[in-house]
Amino acid sequence: MLISIDLQSDEPIYQQLFNQIVEGIASGALRPGETLPSVRSLAADLGINLHTVGKAYTHLKQEGYIQIHRQKGALVQPGPLPEADETFFGRLEKRLRPLVAEAICRGVDEGRFREVCGRLYRQFGKGGIES
Amino acid sequence: MSAQITVTLLVALAVTGFMMAVVPYLTRRTESFGVSIESRHWHDPEIRGMRRKYALGTGSVAVLAILAVLIVDVFFDAAYLVWVLLAVVIAMMITQSGLYLLFHFRMKTLKKSRGLLSSEQQIIAETAFHREKRAVSNWWLLPHLAVAAATAAFCLIFYDRFPDQLVMQYDAQGNPTRVVEKNYGAVLMPVIMQLFMVFTFWLVNYGIASSKQQLDAARPHESLRKNLVFRRRWSAFLLIGGFLLVLAFALMPLQMVYRLDPSVQMAAFTGVTLFMTLGAMILSFMTGQGGSRIRMRGPAGETAAGMVNRDDDRYWKLGVFYYNPEDPAIFIEKRFGVGWTMNWARPAAWALMFGPLVLIFLVMFLLETIFDL
C-alpha cells in the first residue's frame, strides 16, 4: 500500500501514518498478517524522524491493529481485530460530536450526513471487505 | 610508454569526459543541477539551454585534454605524459565543478523567480517495498569467494615453486620496481586483495538493496517499477564486474609460478577496467538515475497525480551533499549523476567512507610488521 504524507497539513505526521495504516486494513490493501516495513526503513523511506514512525507504530499496536515481534518485525494483526467496545463507541461519539455540530450549523440534515457516512463505508468495501 | 597503455588512457579519458558532459541528461527529471523541480519543467527552453551549455563546455575541455595527451605522446618525451595527464584531469574536474556550480546557482534563482516547484507536496512510500527483490542476492558473491579460495589453495600448494624474489610492483613499461624476498604475506597478497574486494562488493550491494525508496509522487507505481529494475541491473553489473576483477587478481600468482609475461597480467586488468567503465557508461544511458530512462509504463491507467515530492533542497548542500539529521537513511540516490551517495548527517556514513581505508592501512601495517614486506 502506498502511504502518502502531507507535510503542509495541520494533522501531525504520526497521526497521518496511523490513519493511513488503519485505512489500509479497512480497505483490504493491507492483508492480515502482512509484514510492514521496520520503523527504521519506513522512516528512511519517508525521510522523517524515527520517533515519529515509532509513535505511530506504538499507537497502532496499543489499539490492536498491528503486532510487533522481536524477530519478524511489525505485521498487520493476523488474528481478530479489536472489538468495538464501549470505550470505542465513547471515543467515536466524542469525535463525531463536533462534526455533527458543524454540519447542523451549516444546515446539513441527518439524512445527508448519513449519506456521506454510507458513501465512505462503500468506498472501503471496494477493497475487499464486504460492508 | 607502451602503445597499449596510451590507448587505454585515451579511451579512459574519452569515456570520463563524455560521462562528465552528459550527467545533466541522466538525472531524474525532477532534478536539474542539484535543484528539485517539477518534471513538467524538464523541457523548459531555459533549462534545456543550461544542459546544452554544460555539456558543450565540459565536452570541449575533454576534447582538448585528449588532444594534449596525443600531442605530448607523439611529439614529446613520454616522461612528460604523467604530468600532462595529471594537469588535464585537474582541468577537466575544475571545468566540471565550475560549470556545475554556475548552473546550480542559476537554477536556484530560476526556481525562486518562476516557482518551478509549486504543486502540492507529498512524501510517499510503498509499504511492500521491503519485500520486493531490490538487488541480486549476496549469495552470488560465493563464486567470488570460491575463486579467492582456489587462489589461496594454489598459493599454499605451490609455495615452493614461487621465485625467491617476488615482484610486488611494475612500472608502466612493465619493469619491476619493487622486489621482496619470498614470504607467505607477499605470496598471499592477491588473496588479501580479493577478500577485501569481496567485502567491498558485499557492502555496495547491501547499499543498493537498502538505499532509500525514492518514488515520484506524480507517478508512484511507475517510478517504483523502474526503480526496482534500476537497482537490480546495477547490482548484477557490480557483481559480474567484481567477479572479473577477482579473476584478474587470481592471475597474479599464476604469473609468478609459471613465469608468464607481465603483459598478460596488464592486459587482464586493462580488460576489466574497460569492461567496468564502458559497462557503467552503457548502463547509465539505459537506466538513467533511479531508472528514469527506462521505458516502462506504470500499471494500466495510472495518471499523473498532480502531486510532487517534498522540496528537500535545504538538505542538499550545493545540491550534491545530503545532510539531514532527521532522516535515518544512510544510502540515498545522488542528485547529479547516476548512483548513490550517503547522508552525511549519519556517523555510519563517515564510518563506511573511511572504514575501508583504515582497514587497508591496518592490513598493510600488520603485513609489514609480521612479514617484513
Side-chain angles (χ1 to χ4, degrees), chain A residues 1-8 21 30 34-38 40-50, chain B residues 120-131 211-213 215 220-221 310 322 324 326-329 346:
Chain A
M1 186 193 69
L2 270 180
I3 287 186
S4 59
I5 302 291
D6 181 359
L7 290 170
Q8 282 106 326
I21 289 176
L30 290 175
E34 185 176 328
T35 56
L36 291 170
S38 68
R40 173 167 286 275
S41 100
L42 186 56
D45 286 345
L46 294 169
I48 58 178
N49 199 301
L50 275 179
Chain B
E120 198 180 323
Q121 294 176 21
Q122 279 208 322
I123 45 180
I124 52 170
E126 168 61 53
T127 54
F129 192 76
H130 63 292
R131 293 202 300 268
S211 79
K212 189 198 220 11
Q213 179 188 145
L215 305 183
H221 292 103
R310 159 171 66 161
Y322 186 65
N324 183 358
E326 286 279 291
D327 187 351
R346 301 252 75 85

Side-chain angles (χ1 to χ4, degrees), chain B residues 310-348:
Chain B
R310 159 171 66 161
D311 185 351
D312 45 9
D313 282 3
R314 64 180 173 283
Y315 302 121
W316 284 91
K317 312 301 173 195
L318 294 177
V320 186
F321 305 105
Y322 186 65
Y323 187 95
N324 183 358
E326 286 279 291
D327 187 351
I330 297 173
F331 300 101
I332 180 168
E333 274 178 26
K334 277 183 199 168
R335 273 203 165 176
F336 194 68
V338 178
W340 290 267
T341 178
M342 290 192 272
N343 180 3
W344 301 109
R346 301 252 75 85

Side-chain angles (χ1 to χ4, degrees), chain B residues 229-292:
Chain B
V229 174
F230 170 74
R231 290 180 195 234
R232 286 182 211 138
R233 281 192 193 163
W234 278 96
S235 160
F237 171 68
L238 172 87
L239 292 195
I240 293 170
F243 185 71
L244 295 179
L245 198 56
V246 170
L247 275 185
F249 271 95
L251 267 181
M252 282 171 84
L254 289 181
Q255 183 207 332
M256 286 178 181
V257 168
Y258 297 109
R259 314 285 201 274
L260 302 175
D261 195 72
S263 66
V264 176
Q265 184 67 54
M266 200 97 90
F269 278 117
T270 311
V272 175
T273 313
L274 284 180
F275 172 82
M276 294 290 261
T277 41
L278 289 174
M281 183 177 89
I282 293 166
L283 204 51
S284 298
F285 265 90
M286 279 166 61
T287 63
Q289 176 66 311
S292 52

